[in-house]
Structures are given as structure tokens and as C-alpha cells.
Amino acid sequence: MMKKIHALTLLTTLTLLPLSNTFAAWTELGSNEAMVVYVDTDTINRSGEKAQILSMLDFKKPGVNPQTKEPVSSMVGINEYNCPTVSYRPIEYKEFAGNKGSGKMVSDNKTPKSEYEPVVSESWTAGVFNVVCQRK
């Protein structure tokens, strides 16, 4: 039963992702010269040694989507972290023309079968990893 609830919660989160930018309870994790990183701790979903969370990258200078050549000022997505192996993978992410998940959606990318990548120390993923994989 618990797995069904987690799956339903995740499905609901994915379905509402375009709307959740406005309603998410964003907490700033930190920033560097390129971006500010936010997470919504209300969306943490733990299952065994893995944990998922909704996060947002808000770029200080817009990037460009390689396919559409449109400017991208922020990204909102769900990443899954494997706590014991210190790795992560994107499940879904959306790119937006405006800051903090606002403006036109530039792309909608579902990547449920993506491979785990190492969490690099001092990266934005390391900050998010520390939030979702901390022991209670």
C-alpha cells in the first residue's frame, strides 16, 4: 500500500509540475556566480535508500536551449538521489524563459530511465543531496 501512495504522490507531483512553481514552498540552498539553488522540502519522497525532491535552478544569466535556441532562465525538476552511492539522476525537468520557473515553458523533459551520475562535491547537486539524504 505504501508503494502505491508514493507512486501516486510522485505521479501527482509530476502532473502538477508546471503549476507547482508558483505554489511550491521554495527554500534557498545557496548560490554561486551562475545560479541560485532552491528546493521544496515538502516534496521529499523517500523509498528505501533512495530519495526524490523537487528543485529549482534560477540562473543569474540566461542560458540557451540547444534544440530551440530559446533563452532559459530557470529549470524546475525532480531528481532521484541514491544516498549510499552518493549519486543522482533526473526524473523530469522543465526549462523556463523567466526566472524562478516563470514565463514560457521552453522544454518539458521526462527522463525516468536516466543513469545515475556521481554527486560532485561543491556542486548544486551536493547541496540538494545533503538535504534529501540527511539522517533523521
Side-chain angles (χ1 to χ4, degrees):
M1 181 66 172
M2 193 60 124
K3 284 190 179 190
K4 284 186 178 181
I5 292 171
H6 286 300
L8 182 59
T9 302
L10 181 59
L11 181 62
T12 302
T13 303
L14 290 173
T15 305
L16 298 176
L17 192 54
L19 301 174
S20 63
N21 313 336
T22 307
F23 302 110
W26 295 117
T27 301
E28 184 177 331
L29 280 188
S31 64
N32 61 22
E33 63 283 343
M35 70 183 89
V36 181
V37 179
Y38 298 89
V39 293
D40 181 354
T41 56
D42 291 344
T43 64
I44 293 174
N45 182 8
R46 290 186 176 91
S47 178
E49 297 179 328
K50 296 179 181 165
Q52 295 180 354
I53 190 170
L54 186 64
S55 58
M56 176 170 55
L57 305 180
D58 193 42
F59 303 119
K60 293 181 178 177
K61 180 181 176 192
V64 176
N65 177 292
Q67 281 80 36
T68 66
K69 306 297 184 218
E70 294 181 69
V72 174
S73 293
S74 59
M75 293 174 65
V76 176
I78 297 174
N79 290 305
E80 181 174 71
Y81 289 80
N82 185 322
C83 299
T85 65
V86 192
S87 59
Y88 82 101
R89 67 188 184 104
I91 302 293
E92 177 180 358
Y93 66 95
K94 297 177 188 299
E95 296 176 312
F96 293 90
N99 287 99
K100 294 187 177 180
S102 67
K104 176 185 175 190
M105 187 190 316
V106 175
S107 72
D108 182 354
N109 307 276
K110 291 172 180 45
T111 57
K113 297 197 184 308
S114 61
E115 297 291 319
Y116 282 93
E117 302 171 31
V119 171
V120 177
S121 182
E122 308 277 324
S123 67
W124 71 267
T125 54
V128 179
F129 174 86
N130 289 336
V131 170
V132 299
C133 291
Q134 67 188 355
R135 300 289 177 227
K136 290 188 171 189

